[in-house]
Amino acid sequence: MIIPLDAIEKDTLYSIAEAFVLREGTDYGEQEISLTDKIEQILSALHSGDAVLVYSELHESVDIRPKEDVLANGNDEE
């Protein structure tokens, strides 16, 4: 189930984005990107609609996924 962003408090949304970034692990790209910048990138993707918050009843968890993946799956719960 896709969770509308307006159903989430701003601080909670930030915490979800932060937890998502921290789960992603270490970035060994050409440029170091700060934790704050990574969180802002995720929040920007959520607000632009490129990414969505997805609640899984099966796992009782919230995740951030690319919108195109959720729509292509036809099933936003794994």
Side-chain angles (χ1 to χ4, degrees):
M1 167 176 63
I2 295 176
I3 302 170
L5 293 184
D6 59 0
I8 304 288
E9 297 268 342
K10 184 179 179 181
D11 291 342
T12 303
L13 183 60
Y14 187 91
S15 294
I16 292 169
E18 180 180 38
F20 177 81
V21 168
L22 291 172
R23 271 196 324 254
E24 292 302 304
T26 305
D27 182 11
Y28 293 107
E30 285 186 31
Q31 291 182 304
E32 281 288 321
I33 300 173
S34 72
L35 175 63
T36 302
D37 287 344
K38 289 179 184 180
I39 294 169
E40 290 302 321
Q41 288 174 353
I42 295 298
L43 291 172
S44 177
L46 286 165
H47 289 293
S48 72
D50 292 333
V52 292
L53 284 177
V54 179
Y55 175 73
S56 169
E57 290 182 26
L58 178 64
H59 298 106
E60 296 182 350
S61 63
V62 175
D63 198 9
I64 298 171
R65 298 188 25 212
K67 185 176 184 177
E68 61 195 30
D69 289 357
V70 172
L71 295 177
N73 249 345
N75 180 4
D76 52 13
E77 270 188 58
E78 291 184 344

